[in-house]
Amino acid sequence: MEKLWSKDYVLNIVGNLLLFVVFYLLMVYTTKLAITEFNVSVSEAGLASGIFIVGALVARLVISRYMDFIGRKRMLIIAVVIHAICTFGYHFIDGMLFLCTLRFVQGMTYGMASTVIATTVASIVPESRRGEGIGYFTLSITLGSAIGPFLGISLPQINPLYALVLCDVLSISLIVLAFILNITEIKVGFRQRVEVKSFRLRTFFEPTAIPISIVALLGAIGYSAVMSYIGTYSETIGLLLGGSLFYIAYSIACLIFRPISGVMIDRYGNHVVMVPILFTMILGFVAIALAHSNLILLLGAVLVGIGYGSIPSAGQTIAVQKVKLNKFSLATSTLYIALDLGNGIGPYILGMVVPIYGFRAVYMCSAIAALLAFLFYIGMIIKSRKESVAV
């Protein structure tokens, strides 16, 4: 069996974890900050939180084209340095305009750094263990999505300054890691030099990665409501215990199932994994929407952890399956753009449902988005089988 664990593989995992802890911590922190300090609506607070993702999306559109021209390590260092400067900027926020501008710029740096790290990992893991390797790598996202919101909710209750100081320390650590990380650069060929001068759609997106990216987009729209509103939702329905333990239950489910899903993709193929996890994601959102006890709310967390929690790793594995090594950055970027877009627009769109129908309706809308993802994937299976028969 080919070797999976190496020093650079582990360092990439650590770097990604630091990046995502800061990302999720500040997402929860800024949503509450906007509501309590600047007296804005839930939807407007969702915009302040989600505009970070819009910045990441914009950055990914550019970085996938120019990463190998600028150099992957150089791009990573530039990104994490500006990211740290933006993190320090949270100490001086005095209004919504400053907050949104800061979030957008830092979102761009997050998009740059996470794309470089994810592309590097996809390039260094053995092909025969790619699903497993990406599965372990994306556990750093899972841990970040659990640790970050937990700290974002709990630390401000002790002292609002603690959350920001911790983000400062993690951002500086990320800079140190970027300098010591070994990143293999890809030599730019003649065809890439020609393509980068073109502004056709296929030069921004990898066509073979678009179908799975649409599935990821729909899942991310649903999950964005969990990420942005679960704390407020659990407080509103009187399930504070379930809300405080939600991300812990979610992360445990991911930690257990995500590596298993990666191994299963390597051994048995995509459909054996994707169909069950998409169906499980639907059940998870329905459980959250109908929760009248802490137990049901935590059951929803586990189901969403098994379902949506497996999409980033399984999606990236599928996205890079049919592309050459020099297209890994474009395929990875295509998937992450979809995830970012869903997480960026989701809080704003679903937040508009709250004043009219309440929070429970938000999570039923999440379930509908998950159902659409499930049906779209079934359509992908039917189409691929028809094409195989035709051939």
Side-chain angles (χ1 to χ4, degrees):
M1 184 178 290
E2 294 179 275
K3 183 180 178 181
L4 174 61
W5 296 92
S6 64
K7 183 190 67 139
D8 290 327
Y9 177 67
V10 172
L11 287 176
N12 273 287
I13 292 175
V14 173
N16 209 51
L17 174 62
L18 296 178
L19 189 65
F20 274 85
V21 167
V22 175
F23 161 42
Y24 281 107
L25 192 160
L26 290 177
M27 178 163 281
V28 173
Y29 178 84
T30 53
T31 301
K32 190 167 185 178
L33 176 71
I35 294 173
T36 57
E37 296 295 325
F38 305 131
N39 197 30
V40 299
S41 68
V42 173
S43 182
E44 289 172 322
L47 176 63
S49 177
I51 200 170
F52 180 98
I53 306 298
V54 177
L57 187 154
V58 172
R60 292 193 201 281
L61 284 171
V62 177
I63 191 175
S64 61
R65 290 166 58 86
Y66 300 107
M67 181 193 301
D68 292 328
F69 289 85
I70 297 173
R72 295 182 179 184
K73 181 158 185 170
R74 184 180 302 169
M75 180 72 76
L76 180 60
I77 291 172
I78 292 170
V80 296
V81 168
I82 301 176
H83 180 274
I85 293 172
C86 290
T87 302
F88 297 140
Y90 283 84
H91 293 278
F92 308 101
I93 294 173
D94 59 359
M96 281 296 290
L97 180 60
F98 186 11
L99 174 60
C100 289
T101 302
L102 189 66
R103 294 286 292 165
F104 182 82
V105 174
Q106 190 175 39
M108 293 182 68
T109 64
Y110 154 81
M112 293 166 63
S114 59
T115 300
V116 173
I117 293 173
T119 301
T120 302
V121 166
S123 302
I124 65 176
V125 295
E127 185 176 354
S128 62
R129 303 181 68 182
R130 185 166 291 151
E132 181 185 3
I134 292 176
Y136 284 123
F137 164 72
T138 52
L139 284 179
S140 59
I141 301 176
T142 303
L143 289 172
S145 69
I147 297 170
F150 174 75
L151 295 174
I153 293 171
S154 59
L155 287 179
Q157 294 176 2
I158 303 171
N159 188 321
L161 190 62
Y162 289 173
L164 297 183
V165 170
L166 177 61
C167 288
D168 294 339
V169 173
L170 296 181
S171 296
I172 293 172
S173 301
L174 195 55
I175 294 175
V176 174
L177 189 143
F179 274 99
I180 66 175
L181 188 63
N182 292 318
I183 299 178
T184 302
E185 305 289 353
I186 300 296
K187 186 176 181 180
V188 179
F190 174 76
R191 185 172 180 178
Q192 279 183 281
R193 295 183 184 279
V194 173
E195 286 182 347
V196 80
K197 297 177 182 178
S198 171
F199 286 90
R200 293 178 300 169
L201 191 63
R202 65 179 297 119
T203 63
F204 290 94
F205 302 97
E206 171 54 43
T208 60
I210 288 177
I212 192 61
S213 298
I214 293 174
V215 173
L217 168 66
L218 292 167
I221 288 174
Y223 181 69
S224 69
V226 172
M227 190 165 52
S228 295
Y229 302 129
I230 197 66
T232 307
Y233 172 60
S234 62
E235 184 177 347
T236 301
I237 62 176
L239 301 178
L240 291 174
L241 178 62
S244 63
L245 297 176
F246 187 95
Y247 289 106
I248 296 175
Y250 171 86
S251 64
I252 291 173
C254 290
L255 286 169
I256 294 172
F257 191 78
R258 188 174 283 181
I260 296 173
S261 66
V263 173
M264 290 178 67
I265 283 182
D266 290 335
R267 294 183 181 179
Y268 305 112
N270 305 334
H271 306 332
V272 172
V273 173
M274 288 301 299
V275 172
I277 68 174
L278 291 173
F279 185 73
T280 303
M281 181 169 61
I282 298 170
L283 297 179
F285 288 134
V286 171
I288 294 171
L290 301 180
H292 287 280
S293 69
N294 289 308
L295 183 61
I296 298 300
L297 186 61
L298 292 176
L299 174 62
V302 170
L303 293 174
V304 172
I306 294 172
Y308 178 77
S310 299
I311 286 181
S313 58
Q316 188 180 357
T317 303
I318 295 170
V320 301
Q321 277 177 347
K322 298 181 180 179
V323 300
K324 296 179 180 179
L325 191 62
N326 63 354
K327 290 287 187 179
F328 273 25
S329 61
L330 193 60
T332 299
S333 175
T334 300
L335 177 76
Y336 275 63
I337 284 171
L339 291 169
D340 288 345
L341 182 61
N343 283 317
I345 65 176
Y348 184 68
I349 295 174
L350 297 179
M352 290 189 290
V353 176
V354 177
I356 305 172
Y357 300 106
F359 275 110
R360 292 192 186 276
V362 169
Y363 294 104
M364 288 306 298
C365 290
S366 295
I368 292 171
L371 175 61
L372 292 175
F374 177 81
L375 294 175
F376 184 85
Y377 191 82
I378 296 299
M380 288 170 55
I381 296 174
I382 295 171
K383 182 182 177 182
S384 65
R385 288 182 176 175
K386 284 183 177 179
E387 289 174 350
S388 298
V389 171
V391 173

